[in-house]
Amino acid sequence: MICAISGEVPEEPVLSKKSGLLFERRLIERYIADYGKCPVTKEELTMDDILPVKTNKVVKPRPLQAASIPGLLGMFQNEWDALMLSNFALEQQLHTARQELSHALYQHDAACRVIARLKKERDEARILLAQAERQIPSSIASAANANNIVSNGKREEELGPDGKRIRPGINPAMIAELTECNAMLSGQRKKRQISPTLAPIDALERYTQISSHPLHKTNKPGIVSVDIHPSKDIIATGGIDTNAVVFDRSAGQIICTLTGHSKKVTSVKFVPRDELFISGSGDKTVRVWQGTEDGNYNCRHILKDHSAEVQAVTVHATHKYFVTAALDNTWCFYDLATGSCLSQVGEASGEEGYTSAAFHPDGLILGTGTSEALVRIWDVKSQSNVAKFDGHVGAVTALSFSENGYFLATAALDGVKLWDLRKLRNFRSFTPYDSDTPTNSVEFDYSGNYLAIAGSDARVYQVASVKMEWNQIKTLADLSGTGKVTCVKFGADAKYMAVGSMDRNLRIFGLPGDGPEEPRSPDH
């Protein structure tokens, strides 16, 4: 009897109870220890299933072939031949396996290339579809039925004898709507109460950076505009990288990145009504975006009424109209629903242009700043210039009306000036920076109790009356290292501030350890 593993007569034979096979004890013990099964039948096997076989210890006779040198040589030759045959068979199997592996790798590589090509074609098709959807206005069907030409998300107006576009103007029904809104807001303002949840002065004194979020590209850094949704904890930024980014502050995540502009996004504004969003750009266009249920925004209108860089976008209190101001020395009044320009005010000029704009909280007054240091106040109903404020040096970079309805803050190269709208005069000026550092942003909070300005850093002032001193509460150093803070915005109840600089990071300043607050819903 020979061993089922070695094929030789065992020196210490054992027998399997399950299979009845004979094994060399040391071999089967090792195999069971490694695999726990029978090497022949592959059944589960333990040493308890092994029985020793008692045999007489006899001296194994020497094989006949080993009795002479020629016999030994014959044995060696046979073993060599068997080894060579086995080696040849193994080489053939290896060659066949290599061929199969090579073929499989080739198929895998070809499949990967096909998948990559299909993904690229799919992405290109999606981009083309998105561009087509942005360029096709939402009202194309009704416009086609009315035999009107629609181009880039807006109607092409007829040209007058002088070659200028004929605008439909602000009709009496719209004027009545604006007047009614003004009367309602003015009446509410007289009864206006300070929110009990407004951040107190000592809280602002302890403001520090609580988070920083890289939202824009590194190759074109710089955030130049910021806005905060009035009823959600969502912040929008416009960057030099041509993108607008919508960011969820509470989750600390980007909701979506709006692409389509070809130059920097100079102004961004949320419109809570119908979840709309507006972006103005240095590419001379304005885009109106529609929010979707999944949090993304689709381009609804592309407006091309300006012939120079759009510098500012401001939304009317009704949330039905908005105004854009550009360096072509004109400002446009738009119907938000249709994206049509109702009125374009001003004569295109290369000498002077509008660099900032803002609606008064009551909605019947519009303020604009020019590149020639002039602030103009407009009557929205008649689109006439009713007041001018001069005294600044350099372009008026920003302006902000206080919610109390009486104060206007304007920013330029020489700092910030505060204007009393009742007496049309400048009653206070701040010069926080040197003569070579412009003030880039100025912003009242919704309560009207705090004023923030931004230049080489960001500073917060306590709002007082015309005669009383406006005290500086806090200075927030520019942590971007660029020395240029471009925009600043108060969050709900002044619980935090969103600050943009000439790097790619949006910075949130507030109380250390404070989580995101539940935003209030002001109508502005």
Side-chain angles (χ1 to χ4, degrees):
M1 296 293 288
I2 60 175
C3 176
I5 298 178
S6 64
E8 297 180 355
V9 177
E11 294 181 359
E12 190 179 357
V14 292
L15 190 67
S16 171
K17 293 180 182 179
K18 293 185 176 180
S19 63
L21 295 172
L22 188 69
F23 299 100
E24 177 71 59
R25 184 180 183 87
R26 59 183 176 80
L27 295 179
I28 193 63
E29 282 182 348
R30 185 181 302 171
Y31 195 90
I32 289 174
D34 291 341
Y35 303 104
K37 56 180 67 177
C38 177
V40 178
T41 63
K42 304 303 181 184
E43 295 179 351
E44 295 293 330
L45 193 66
T46 65
M47 289 305 297
D48 294 335
D49 299 322
I50 300 299
L51 291 175
V53 179
K54 296 182 178 180
T55 58
N56 294 327
K57 296 291 184 179
V58 295
V59 177
K60 292 188 290 184
R62 180 180 296 177
L64 182 63
Q65 293 88 346
S68 64
I69 292 177
L72 289 172
L73 292 176
M75 288 174 58
F76 294 155
Q77 183 64 50
N78 292 337
E79 290 181 2
W80 175 262
D81 291 343
L83 181 62
M84 289 299 102
L85 288 173
S86 176
N87 187 51
F88 178 73
L90 289 175
E91 286 183 351
Q92 282 188 321
Q93 292 177 3
L94 176 61
H95 180 68
T96 302
R98 281 179 173 174
Q99 285 184 326
E100 292 176 352
L101 178 61
S102 176
H103 184 66
L105 290 175
Y106 175 77
Q107 286 183 324
H108 179 267
D109 186 57
C112 288
R113 287 199 300 270
V114 170
I115 292 171
R117 178 173 56 81
L118 292 176
K119 284 185 176 180
K120 182 180 179 182
E121 291 177 357
R122 180 201 64 185
D123 294 340
E124 290 176 350
R126 284 179 175 176
I127 292 173
L128 292 174
L129 178 61
Q131 291 176 349
E133 288 177 347
R134 292 168 183 169
Q135 293 174 355
I136 297 174
S138 60
S139 59
I140 189 169
S142 60
N145 293 335
N147 295 321
N148 290 331
I149 300 174
V150 180
S151 174
N152 295 318
K154 63 178 183 65
R155 298 178 185 275
E156 285 191 354
E157 294 84 357
E158 297 180 0
L159 300 180
D162 55 357
K164 296 181 180 179
R165 290 175 181 171
I166 299 176
R167 307 293 186 183
I170 304 176
N171 60 45
M174 294 177 183
I175 292 176
E177 183 180 21
L178 299 180
T179 305
E180 182 182 356
C181 176
N182 173 268
M184 180 186 68
L185 293 176
S186 297
Q188 292 177 352
R189 184 158 286 108
K190 295 177 181 178
K191 305 174 184 178
R192 181 180 173 84
Q193 298 291 328
I194 300 300
S195 170
T197 57
L198 179 68
I201 294 176
D202 62 339
L204 271 72
E205 290 175 343
R206 293 182 287 123
Y207 269 11
T208 184
Q209 179 176 306
I210 56 177
S211 62
S212 177
H213 309 280
L215 304 186
H216 292 268
K217 296 179 181 178
T218 55
N219 59 339
K220 291 183 178 179
I223 296 175
V224 293
S225 54
V226 66
D227 193 30
I228 299 177
H229 197 290
S231 59
K232 298 180 180 179
D233 201 5
I234 295 176
I235 303 173
T237 60
I240 293 179
D241 62 356
T242 74
N243 294 333
V245 177
V246 181
F247 175 76
D248 187 336
R249 188 182 76 95
S250 58
Q253 295 180 346
I254 294 176
I255 297 176
C256 62
T257 299
L258 309 183
T259 60
H261 286 295
S262 60
K263 293 186 178 180
K264 65 181 178 181
V265 179
T266 56
S267 184
V268 290
K269 291 292 178 184
F270 283 109
V271 186
R273 180 177 175 268
D274 298 329
E275 289 302 321
L276 297 174
F277 179 76
I278 308 172
S279 61
S281 171
D283 62 8
K284 308 176 187 178
T285 70
V286 177
R287 290 177 179 247
V288 179
W289 309 80
Q290 175 70 64
T292 59
E293 293 182 356
D294 59 0
N296 290 320
Y297 284 81
N298 296 324
C299 186
R300 185 172 174 181
H301 302 292
I302 303 177
L303 313 175
K304 299 183 177 180
D305 295 285
H306 289 290
S307 59
E309 180 176 314
V310 177
Q311 289 283 295
V313 174
T314 178
V315 180
H316 190 268
T318 58
H319 297 163
K320 294 182 179 181
Y321 310 100
F322 69 96
V323 162
T324 61
L327 291 179
D328 60 3
N329 199 33
T330 68
W331 58 267
C332 294
F333 187 92
Y334 287 97
D335 181 352
L336 191 54
T338 63
S340 58
C341 179
L342 303 179
S343 179
Q344 187 166 14
V345 180
E347 296 291 332
S349 168
E351 299 177 0
E352 184 180 5
Y354 291 114
T355 51
S356 54
F359 269 113
H360 186 274
D362 292 343
L364 285 186
I365 295 175
L366 174 72
T368 59
T370 72
S371 58
E372 298 298 319
L374 188 64
V375 178
R376 289 194 175 100
I377 305 298
W378 304 82
D379 180 353
V380 176
K381 293 189 294 184
S382 62
Q383 299 98 63
S384 58
N385 185 196
V386 294
K388 293 181 181 179
F389 298 146
D390 55 14
H392 269 302
V393 175
V396 179
T397 54
L399 49 86
S400 175
F401 286 96
S402 171
E403 284 291 329
N404 67 12
Y406 303 139
F407 298 153
L408 168 65
T410 58
L413 178 63
D414 57 345
V416 173
K417 291 185 180 297
L418 298 170
W419 309 86
D420 186 345
L421 298 176
R422 295 163 293 187
K423 298 183 179 180
L424 300 179
R425 68 180 183 89
N426 170 224
F427 67 89
R428 184 164 278 98
S429 299
F430 299 128
T431 55
Y433 311 115
D434 58 53
S435 59
D436 296 326
T437 303
T439 302
N440 300 310
S441 179
V442 61
E443 178 79 17
F444 282 103
D445 80 306
Y446 178 68
S447 71
N449 278 29
Y450 304 116
L451 175 72
I453 66 176
S456 59
D457 55 27
R459 305 186 182 195
V460 183
Y461 290 82
Q462 180 186 9
V463 174
S465 64
V466 173
K467 296 181 179 180
M468 295 181 65
E469 190 64 28
W470 293 39
N471 298 319
Q472 182 176 332
I473 300 172
K474 182 70 174 178
T475 298
L476 305 173
D478 174 33
L479 301 179
S480 69
T482 62
K484 188 174 183 182
V485 180
T486 55
C487 46
V488 61
K489 189 82 174 179
F490 282 102
D493 287 330
K495 293 294 179 64
Y496 70 92
M497 289 173 59
V499 177
S501 304
M502 286 305 291
D503 65 348
R504 61 194 291 249
N505 293 290
L506 170 69
R507 291 177 171 82
I508 306 298
F509 289 84
L511 290 178
D514 274 7
E517 296 290 338
E518 192 67 23
R520 196 161 48 88
S521 184
D523 294 329
H524 79 300

